[in-house]
Amino acid sequence: MKGWTHASQGARMSVRRRFSWDQFSAVATLIPSLILLGVFVYGFIVWTGYVSLTNWNSFIPNFSFAGLQNYINVFGTFRFQSDLRNIVVFTALFIIGCLIVGMGLALLIDQRVRAEGLFRSIFIFPMAISFVVTGVIWSWILNPGTGVNLVLKAFGWKTLPSWFLSTTIVPNITLGQIQVGIPLALLAVLIAAVWQMSGFAMAVYLAGLRGISDDIKEAARIDGAGAVRMFWSIILPQLKSTTTTIVIILSAASLKVFGLIYAMTGPGQEFVTDMPSLNMFQTTFQGDQFAQGAAIAIVLLLLLAVFIIPYLISTLRQDSSS
Amino acid sequence: MKFGNALKTGAALAIALSLTTAPLAFAAQQKGDLQIFSWWTGVASSKALRGIIHVFNEQYPGIKVTNDAVAGGAGSNAKAILASRMEAGNPPGTFQVHAGGGSLLSWVQAGDMQPLNSLYQSQGWYKAFPKSLLNLLTINGKIYAVPVDMQRGNVTWYNPSVFKKYHLAVPATFQQFFADAAVLKRHGITPLALANHGNWEATLLFSDVLLGTVGPVKYDQLLTGKAPWSIPGVQAAANTFVRMMAYTNTDYSALHWQQADQLVAQGKAAMNVMGDWAQGYFTTALHLKPGVGFGWAATPGTRGVFGAVADVFGLPSKLTDKTPTLDFLKVLGSKRAQDVFNPLKGTFSPRLDSNAKLYDAYSREAMQSYKRDKLVLVIGQGAVNPGFTNSFNNAMEIFVTNHNVKQFVSALESAAQSNPLS
């Protein structure tokens, strides 16, 4: 083995020479994934961007230049305007919900409870289930006619919630073709989504909590900080980078959400639970309007970039400074 | 050591990555083999498909058949996968598609299908199938597909004991429908069960209402771009549809079509409008006797018209080896294979010489209507191009709750403009 002889002669080898070997092996390791990523991720992003500017809106490929016409068409539809409202509402509430529930669970588990491992597993378990399964189960639980409403009815509730079938939008401000606000139907989907992903937030928070030095907590305690003060002034600031990580990962998951909606509600009446990803799938593969589907995909990508790029820049800065 | 390890890691990484991407691409068809692509994954339909493959293997033992069925309501997922395979120039040996101006026409216009006139000539199929059906498969004088089954899209399924109890006749017109519905509603029975989880169900209902309102000739003209969607009949149909919505259950968007038919079977609802695939659900899943546990009639205003939903198979032009597909199509169109396939699937054979004794009371009656009546296509079931269908479904998703007729009709007009129907 050539590599072995080189390494064993390490003492005689110049520093510079060994360094170049390291560089070479690093590059050799990265090349396959760089090629695959280059073709299958970035290559197809460019291709999708190109298709979104063409007239390819049927089975017959038509690459004549359409300018921004597809974007204009897409933004002009009731459906896509609803999608944008839904994705913003969903992402914001999903992240807030997961952060609060995850933090709560992490704080509880951090109290050195008995059978900690068991509780940790129980809370994180939903994450192991696929979104489709979650969607089907929660669509049964929240089905207005058969699910949890039967329990509420037994407790004497008069007006039962219609969950994901509701078309009510609060506060209901007309903007463009649609009503802007929080579609109540989305709350039902949010319950399922938060149920699934808050365990993840808990696990990351727990690691963060365990990383806070006992010295700081001890010092705060000696200074007379109570539990509430300790949380707001010591623990929460120490968890800032943990929170950022959770927000980034959850926002990526949220913007791409498809399986949960597809299995649980579909686009919903008046598109109250529709998402850009669902719209893109149906436009592209059921309507065969490839250029318009590509336009939706690009808008979705830009939405993701809003979250991911600042994060990448800040991590790169941290890397180069350390 | 270090370098050797790095190489190994690199190789392992490359393999791992290639493994993760490989399953995304469908294997191309090998020479001499046959891939049959469909969305027949349900119990009855997959059994029927295996039956036909069995008949084929008896006659052509040398050809290895792969069953490439993809699950998903009304072929929604299968169509997506098929589109990506066709675009990639990697078509399956043959694939399921609905007869009419929908996907089939789009594939033909894209130059992806090969005409089958000589096959029809050699097999004597010009006489085996009615002209009315062959018209739906013919584009510019060339015939592009072989039909294997026939289903009806304009059927009202009803509960006979409910109608008997309140001394009502099954409605043949919209006027009768609303008269019956008022009585039923007074007695706490949902007049019309509706399931709309997939949204194609409301589209199907509207399609039948439109057919019953404007009649088969005008309806055909609308679907083929010969009449504009701004004609008053469309608006009248939309108004009738809104009136009907007042007589449906309110949780329709949570229900699948089987659940709507279950409401009918239980007597909680009186009627449901659904294609005759519902028949198999009544008899097989609910063990009801045709004519006793459930009844059927043409939807209001459509007596004497048959809303045809036929599964057909064609010959992709980009195939390198066409012989296995042509052999399979020969079997698919034969009396023997169709008599095996259709009773298992709960459909009936579109051949004029098919054996009526193989079918139950419902199918025999539907068969007579098919041979006698005018055939029309059904929106959402392969009648019109996918772009229009998608826009139509989007318009319906809004219309079904907001009942804004003006907005709905103008959405249909612009859908027809941006996805020309002729």
PDB file of all heavy atoms in Angstrom, chain B residues 364-391:
ATOM      1  N   ARG B 364     -75.406  -5.597 -16.500  1.00  0.00           N
ATOM      2  CA  ARG B 364     -76.156  -5.962 -17.711  1.00  0.00           C
ATOM      3  C   ARG B 364     -76.968  -4.774 -18.211  1.00  0.00           C
ATOM      4  O   ARG B 364     -77.033  -4.496 -19.411  1.00  0.00           O
ATOM      5  CB  ARG B 364     -77.064  -7.164 -17.427  1.00  0.00           C
ATOM      6  CG  ARG B 364     -76.316  -8.486 -17.438  1.00  0.00           C
ATOM      7  CD  ARG B 364     -77.246  -9.655 -17.749  1.00  0.00           C
ATOM      8  NE  ARG B 364     -78.264  -9.841 -16.721  1.00  0.00           N
ATOM      9  CZ  ARG B 364     -78.100 -10.592 -15.631  1.00  0.00           C
ATOM     10  NH1 ARG B 364     -76.962 -11.230 -15.429  1.00  0.00           N
ATOM     11  NH2 ARG B 364     -79.050 -10.723 -14.754  1.00  0.00           N
ATOM     12  N   GLU B 365     -77.559  -4.049 -17.256  1.00  0.00           N
ATOM     13  CA  GLU B 365     -78.352  -2.890 -17.649  1.00  0.00           C
ATOM     14  C   GLU B 365     -77.466  -1.782 -18.230  1.00  0.00           C
ATOM     15  O   GLU B 365     -77.798  -1.156 -19.236  1.00  0.00           O
ATOM     16  CB  GLU B 365     -79.121  -2.372 -16.431  1.00  0.00           C
ATOM     17  CG  GLU B 365     -80.377  -1.631 -16.803  1.00  0.00           C
ATOM     18  CD  GLU B 365     -81.082  -1.088 -15.571  1.00  0.00           C
ATOM     19  OE1 GLU B 365     -81.519  -1.890 -14.735  1.00  0.00           O
ATOM     20  OE2 GLU B 365     -81.177   0.143 -15.457  1.00  0.00           O
ATOM     21  N   ALA B 366     -76.304  -1.576 -17.560  1.00  0.00           N
ATOM     22  CA  ALA B 366     -75.372  -0.554 -18.039  1.00  0.00           C
ATOM     23  C   ALA B 366     -74.878  -0.902 -19.440  1.00  0.00           C
ATOM     24  O   ALA B 366     -74.724  -0.033 -20.303  1.00  0.00           O
ATOM     25  CB  ALA B 366     -74.199  -0.428 -17.076  1.00  0.00           C
ATOM     26  N   MET B 367     -74.654  -2.205 -19.671  1.00  0.00           N
ATOM     27  CA  MET B 367     -74.197  -2.688 -20.965  1.00  0.00           C
ATOM     28  C   MET B 367     -75.193  -2.337 -22.073  1.00  0.00           C
ATOM     29  O   MET B 367     -74.807  -1.908 -23.155  1.00  0.00           O
ATOM     30  CB  MET B 367     -74.094  -4.210 -20.888  1.00  0.00           C
ATOM     31  CG  MET B 367     -72.797  -4.770 -21.287  1.00  0.00           C
ATOM     32  SD  MET B 367     -72.780  -6.447 -20.637  1.00  0.00           S
ATOM     33  CE  MET B 367     -71.700  -7.174 -21.788  1.00  0.00           C
ATOM     34  N   GLN B 368     -76.479  -2.532 -21.755  1.00  0.00           N
ATOM     35  CA  GLN B 368     -77.513  -2.204 -22.747  1.00  0.00           C
ATOM     36  C   GLN B 368     -77.497  -0.726 -23.071  1.00  0.00           C
ATOM     37  O   GLN B 368     -77.557  -0.327 -24.232  1.00  0.00           O
ATOM     38  CB  GLN B 368     -78.889  -2.595 -22.209  1.00  0.00           C
ATOM     39  CG  GLN B 368     -79.178  -4.064 -22.349  1.00  0.00           C
ATOM     40  CD  GLN B 368     -80.411  -4.477 -21.563  1.00  0.00           C
ATOM     41  OE1 GLN B 368     -81.089  -3.637 -20.966  1.00  0.00           O
ATOM     42  NE2 GLN B 368     -80.676  -5.770 -21.553  1.00  0.00           N
ATOM     43  N   SER B 369     -77.390   0.097 -22.008  1.00  0.00           N
ATOM     44  CA  SER B 369     -77.369   1.538 -22.224  1.00  0.00           C
ATOM     45  C   SER B 369     -76.154   1.924 -23.073  1.00  0.00           C
ATOM     46  O   SER B 369     -76.254   2.749 -23.976  1.00  0.00           O
ATOM     47  CB  SER B 369     -77.328   2.262 -20.876  1.00  0.00           C
ATOM     48  OG  SER B 369     -76.826   3.556 -21.013  1.00  0.00           O
ATOM     49  N   TYR B 370     -75.013   1.278 -22.795  1.00  0.00           N
ATOM     50  CA  TYR B 370     -73.773   1.568 -23.522  1.00  0.00           C
ATOM     51  C   TYR B 370     -73.921   1.278 -25.019  1.00  0.00           C
ATOM     52  O   TYR B 370     -73.470   2.035 -25.868  1.00  0.00           O
ATOM     53  CB  TYR B 370     -72.635   0.749 -22.907  1.00  0.00           C
ATOM     54  CG  TYR B 370     -71.447   0.485 -23.788  1.00  0.00           C
ATOM     55  CD1 TYR B 370     -70.526   1.491 -24.061  1.00  0.00           C
ATOM     56  CD2 TYR B 370     -71.225  -0.785 -24.316  1.00  0.00           C
ATOM     57  CE1 TYR B 370     -69.418   1.240 -24.858  1.00  0.00           C
ATOM     58  CE2 TYR B 370     -70.122  -1.040 -25.101  1.00  0.00           C
ATOM     59  CZ  TYR B 370     -69.220  -0.025 -25.370  1.00  0.00           C
ATOM     60  OH  TYR B 370     -68.144  -0.284 -26.160  1.00  0.00           O
ATOM     61  N   LYS B 371     -74.597   0.162 -25.323  1.00  0.00           N
ATOM     62  CA  LYS B 371     -74.727  -0.215 -26.728  1.00  0.00           C
ATOM     63  C   LYS B 371     -75.770   0.630 -27.450  1.00  0.00           C
ATOM     64  O   LYS B 371     -75.692   0.832 -28.662  1.00  0.00           O
ATOM     65  CB  LYS B 371     -75.096  -1.694 -26.843  1.00  0.00           C
ATOM     66  CG  LYS B 371     -73.924  -2.596 -26.523  1.00  0.00           C
ATOM     67  CD  LYS B 371     -74.325  -4.064 -26.499  1.00  0.00           C
ATOM     68  CE  LYS B 371     -73.174  -4.919 -25.983  1.00  0.00           C
ATOM     69  NZ  LYS B 371     -73.571  -6.286 -25.692  1.00  0.00           N
ATOM     70  N   ARG B 372     -76.755   1.147 -26.701  1.00  0.00           N
ATOM     71  CA  ARG B 372     -77.902   1.806 -27.303  1.00  0.00           C
ATOM     72  C   ARG B 372     -77.755   3.325 -27.310  1.00  0.00           C
ATOM     73  O   ARG B 372     -78.105   4.000 -28.261  1.00  0.00           O
ATOM     74  CB  ARG B 372     -79.131   1.400 -26.486  1.00  0.00           C
ATOM     75  CG  ARG B 372     -80.471   1.954 -26.917  1.00  0.00           C
ATOM     76  CD  ARG B 372     -81.526   1.602 -25.874  1.00  0.00           C
ATOM     77  NE  ARG B 372     -81.174   2.162 -24.562  1.00  0.00           N
ATOM     78  CZ  ARG B 372     -81.374   1.555 -23.403  1.00  0.00           C
ATOM     79  NH1 ARG B 372     -81.915   0.353 -23.349  1.00  0.00           N
ATOM     80  NH2 ARG B 372     -81.023   2.129 -22.267  1.00  0.00           N
ATOM     81  N   ASP B 373     -77.186   3.877 -26.201  1.00  0.00           N
ATOM     82  CA  ASP B 373     -77.270   5.320 -25.988  1.00  0.00           C
ATOM     83  C   ASP B 373     -76.085   6.076 -26.567  1.00  0.00           C
ATOM     84  O   ASP B 373     -75.086   5.492 -26.954  1.00  0.00           O
ATOM     85  CB  ASP B 373     -77.387   5.616 -24.488  1.00  0.00           C
ATOM     86  CG  ASP B 373     -78.670   5.050 -23.908  1.00  0.00           C
ATOM     87  OD1 ASP B 373     -79.622   4.848 -24.691  1.00  0.00           O
ATOM     88  OD2 ASP B 373     -78.706   4.783 -22.699  1.00  0.00           O
ATOM     89  N   LYS B 374     -76.238   7.391 -26.518  1.00  0.00           N
ATOM     90  CA  LYS B 374     -75.147   8.253 -26.975  1.00  0.00           C
ATOM     91  C   LYS B 374     -74.049   8.271 -25.918  1.00  0.00           C
ATOM     92  O   LYS B 374     -74.317   8.375 -24.726  1.00  0.00           O
ATOM     93  CB  LYS B 374     -75.691   9.665 -27.193  1.00  0.00           C
ATOM     94  CG  LYS B 374     -74.620  10.608 -27.713  1.00  0.00           C
ATOM     95  CD  LYS B 374     -75.163  11.951 -28.121  1.00  0.00           C
ATOM     96  CE  LYS B 374     -74.041  12.963 -28.347  1.00  0.00           C
ATOM     97  NZ  LYS B 374     -72.996  12.509 -29.254  1.00  0.00           N
ATOM     98  N   LEU B 375     -72.780   8.139 -26.356  1.00  0.00           N
ATOM     99  CA  LEU B 375     -71.661   8.181 -25.418  1.00  0.00           C
ATOM    100  C   LEU B 375     -71.137   9.611 -25.308  1.00  0.00           C
ATOM    101  O   LEU B 375     -70.954  10.281 -26.315  1.00  0.00           O
ATOM    102  CB  LEU B 375     -70.506   7.291 -25.890  1.00  0.00           C
ATOM    103  CG  LEU B 375     -70.705   5.788 -26.006  1.00  0.00           C
ATOM    104  CD1 LEU B 375     -69.346   5.098 -26.118  1.00  0.00           C
ATOM    105  CD2 LEU B 375     -71.460   5.219 -24.821  1.00  0.00           C
ATOM    106  N   VAL B 376     -70.930  10.043 -24.085  1.00  0.00           N
ATOM    107  CA  VAL B 376     -70.228  11.309 -23.859  1.00  0.00           C
ATOM    108  C   VAL B 376     -69.110  11.045 -22.849  1.00  0.00           C
ATOM    109  O   VAL B 376     -69.075  10.001 -22.211  1.00  0.00           O
ATOM    110  CB  VAL B 376     -71.154  12.420 -23.303  1.00  0.00           C
ATOM    111  CG1 VAL B 376     -72.217  12.795 -24.298  1.00  0.00           C
ATOM    112  CG2 VAL B 376     -71.758  11.996 -21.974  1.00  0.00           C
ATOM    113  N   LEU B 377     -68.188  12.016 -22.713  1.00  0.00           N
ATOM    114  CA  LEU B 377     -67.084  11.856 -21.771  1.00  0.00           C
ATOM    115  C   LEU B 377     -67.397  12.598 -20.476  1.00  0.00           C
ATOM    116  O   LEU B 377     -68.343  13.371 -20.410  1.00  0.00           O
ATOM    117  CB  LEU B 377     -65.796  12.372 -22.399  1.00  0.00           C
ATOM    118  CG  LEU B 377     -65.319  11.505 -23.574  1.00  0.00           C
ATOM    119  CD1 LEU B 377     -64.412  12.289 -24.476  1.00  0.00           C
ATOM    120  CD2 LEU B 377     -64.643  10.248 -23.062  1.00  0.00           C
ATOM    121  N   VAL B 378     -66.603  12.337 -19.456  1.00  0.00           N
ATOM    122  CA  VAL B 378     -66.859  12.921 -18.145  1.00  0.00           C
ATOM    123  C   VAL B 378     -65.664  13.793 -17.741  1.00  0.00           C
ATOM    124  O   VAL B 378     -64.518  13.336 -17.809  1.00  0.00           O
ATOM    125  CB  VAL B 378     -67.076  11.801 -17.092  1.00  0.00           C
ATOM    126  CG1 VAL B 378     -67.358  12.405 -15.734  1.00  0.00           C
ATOM    127  CG2 VAL B 378     -68.203  10.880 -17.525  1.00  0.00           C
ATOM    128  N   ILE B 379     -65.960  15.042 -17.331  1.00  0.00           N
ATOM    129  CA  ILE B 379     -64.874  15.955 -16.938  1.00  0.00           C
ATOM    130  C   ILE B 379     -64.157  15.385 -15.714  1.00  0.00           C
ATOM    131  O   ILE B 379     -64.784  14.956 -14.755  1.00  0.00           O
ATOM    132  CB  ILE B 379     -65.431  17.354 -16.616  1.00  0.00           C
ATOM    133  CG1 ILE B 379     -66.152  17.922 -17.838  1.00  0.00           C
ATOM    134  CG2 ILE B 379     -64.305  18.296 -16.202  1.00  0.00           C
ATOM    135  CD1 ILE B 379     -66.974  19.157 -17.528  1.00  0.00           C
ATOM    136  N   GLY B 380     -62.842  15.399 -15.759  1.00  0.00           N
ATOM    137  CA  GLY B 380     -62.068  14.858 -14.636  1.00  0.00           C
ATOM    138  C   GLY B 380     -61.757  13.388 -14.801  1.00  0.00           C
ATOM    139  O   GLY B 380     -61.009  12.813 -14.015  1.00  0.00           O
ATOM    140  N   GLN B 381     -62.355  12.750 -15.813  1.00  0.00           N
ATOM    141  CA  GLN B 381     -62.116  11.326 -16.060  1.00  0.00           C
ATOM    142  C   GLN B 381     -61.598  11.138 -17.483  1.00  0.00           C
ATOM    143  O   GLN B 381     -62.044  10.278 -18.221  1.00  0.00           O
ATOM    144  CB  GLN B 381     -63.387  10.500 -15.854  1.00  0.00           C
ATOM    145  CG  GLN B 381     -64.068  10.706 -14.517  1.00  0.00           C
ATOM    146  CD  GLN B 381     -63.268  10.106 -13.373  1.00  0.00           C
ATOM    147  OE1 GLN B 381     -62.576   9.120 -13.532  1.00  0.00           O
ATOM    148  NE2 GLN B 381     -63.355  10.714 -12.202  1.00  0.00           N
ATOM    149  N   GLY B 382     -60.648  11.979 -17.847  1.00  0.00           N
ATOM    150  CA  GLY B 382     -59.993  11.801 -19.135  1.00  0.00           C
ATOM    151  C   GLY B 382     -60.681  12.461 -20.305  1.00  0.00           C
ATOM    152  O   GLY B 382     -60.329  12.209 -21.451  1.00  0.00           O
ATOM    153  N   ALA B 383     -61.678  13.332 -20.038  1.00  0.00           N
ATOM    154  CA  ALA B 383     -62.421  13.921 -21.151  1.00  0.00           C
ATOM    155  C   ALA B 383     -61.662  15.066 -21.804  1.00  0.00           C
ATOM    156  O   ALA B 383     -61.680  15.218 -23.016  1.00  0.00           O
ATOM    157  CB  ALA B 383     -63.778  14.428 -20.650  1.00  0.00           C
ATOM    158  N   VAL B 384     -61.032  15.898 -21.000  1.00  0.00           N
ATOM    159  CA  VAL B 384     -60.397  17.110 -21.516  1.00  0.00           C
ATOM    160  C   VAL B 384     -58.957  17.197 -21.041  1.00  0.00           C
ATOM    161  O   VAL B 384     -58.570  16.490 -20.115  1.00  0.00           O
ATOM    162  CB  VAL B 384     -61.163  18.373 -21.066  1.00  0.00           C
ATOM    163  CG1 VAL B 384     -62.317  18.654 -21.996  1.00  0.00           C
ATOM    164  CG2 VAL B 384     -61.651  18.217 -19.647  1.00  0.00           C
ATOM    165  N   ASN B 385     -58.161  18.076 -21.654  1.00  0.00           N
ATOM    166  CA  ASN B 385     -56.720  18.054 -21.389  1.00  0.00           C
ATOM    167  C   ASN B 385     -56.404  18.341 -19.917  1.00  0.00           C
ATOM    168  O   ASN B 385     -57.169  18.994 -19.203  1.00  0.00           O
ATOM    169  CB  ASN B 385     -55.985  19.008 -22.346  1.00  0.00           C
ATOM    170  CG  ASN B 385     -56.302  20.463 -22.089  1.00  0.00           C
ATOM    171  OD1 ASN B 385     -56.091  20.968 -20.997  1.00  0.00           O
ATOM    172  ND2 ASN B 385     -56.836  21.135 -23.105  1.00  0.00           N
ATOM    173  N   PRO B 386     -55.266  17.826 -19.436  1.00  0.00           N
ATOM    174  CA  PRO B 386     -54.925  17.924 -18.003  1.00  0.00           C
ATOM    175  C   PRO B 386     -54.864  19.360 -17.499  1.00  0.00           C
ATOM    176  O   PRO B 386     -55.239  19.614 -16.343  1.00  0.00           O
ATOM    177  CB  PRO B 386     -53.546  17.268 -17.925  1.00  0.00           C
ATOM    178  CG  PRO B 386     -53.479  16.359 -19.092  1.00  0.00           C
ATOM    179  CD  PRO B 386     -54.277  17.009 -20.173  1.00  0.00           C
ATOM    180  N   GLY B 387     -54.400  20.289 -18.326  1.00  0.00           N
ATOM    181  CA  GLY B 387     -54.316  21.678 -17.887  1.00  0.00           C
ATOM    182  C   GLY B 387     -55.688  22.239 -17.571  1.00  0.00           C
ATOM    183  O   GLY B 387     -55.897  22.864 -16.533  1.00  0.00           O
ATOM    184  N   PHE B 388     -56.659  21.989 -18.465  1.00  0.00           N
ATOM    185  CA  PHE B 388     -58.018  22.464 -18.230  1.00  0.00           C
ATOM    186  C   PHE B 388     -58.617  21.776 -17.003  1.00  0.00           C
ATOM    187  O   PHE B 388     -59.252  22.411 -16.171  1.00  0.00           O
ATOM    188  CB  PHE B 388     -58.892  22.196 -19.467  1.00  0.00           C
ATOM    189  CG  PHE B 388     -60.316  22.659 -19.303  1.00  0.00           C
ATOM    190  CD1 PHE B 388     -60.669  23.966 -19.579  1.00  0.00           C
ATOM    191  CD2 PHE B 388     -61.300  21.783 -18.860  1.00  0.00           C
ATOM    192  CE1 PHE B 388     -61.971  24.402 -19.410  1.00  0.00           C
ATOM    193  CE2 PHE B 388     -62.610  22.206 -18.701  1.00  0.00           C
ATOM    194  CZ  PHE B 388     -62.942  23.524 -18.976  1.00  0.00           C
ATOM    195  N   THR B 389     -58.387  20.469 -16.917  1.00  0.00           N
ATOM    196  CA  THR B 389     -58.940  19.718 -15.786  1.00  0.00           C
ATOM    197  C   THR B 389     -58.425  20.260 -14.465  1.00  0.00           C
ATOM    198  O   THR B 389     -59.179  20.429 -13.501  1.00  0.00           O
ATOM    199  CB  THR B 389     -58.574  18.225 -15.916  1.00  0.00           C
ATOM    200  OG1 THR B 389     -58.949  17.773 -17.217  1.00  0.00           O
ATOM    201  CG2 THR B 389     -59.273  17.390 -14.880  1.00  0.00           C
ATOM    202  N   ASN B 390     -57.120  20.552 -14.426  1.00  0.00           N
ATOM    203  CA  ASN B 390     -56.531  21.088 -13.197  1.00  0.00           C
ATOM    204  C   ASN B 390     -57.138  22.451 -12.843  1.00  0.00           C
ATOM    205  O   ASN B 390     -57.493  22.702 -11.698  1.00  0.00           O
ATOM    206  CB  ASN B 390     -55.016  21.197 -13.376  1.00  0.00           C
ATOM    207  CG  ASN B 390     -54.288  21.311 -12.060  1.00  0.00           C
ATOM    208  OD1 ASN B 390     -54.594  20.582 -11.117  1.00  0.00           O
ATOM    209  ND2 ASN B 390     -53.350  22.230 -11.973  1.00  0.00           N
ATOM    210  N   SER B 391     -57.269  23.318 -13.859  1.00  0.00           N
ATOM    211  CA  SER B 391     -57.864  24.634 -13.607  1.00  0.00           C
ATOM    212  C   SER B 391     -59.320  24.483 -13.188  1.00  0.00           C
ATOM    213  O   SER B 391     -59.817  25.218 -12.332  1.00  0.00           O
ATOM    214  CB  SER B 391     -57.791  25.503 -14.861  1.00  0.00           C
ATOM    215  OG  SER B 391     -56.472  25.594 -15.310  1.00  0.00           O
TER     216      SER B 391
END
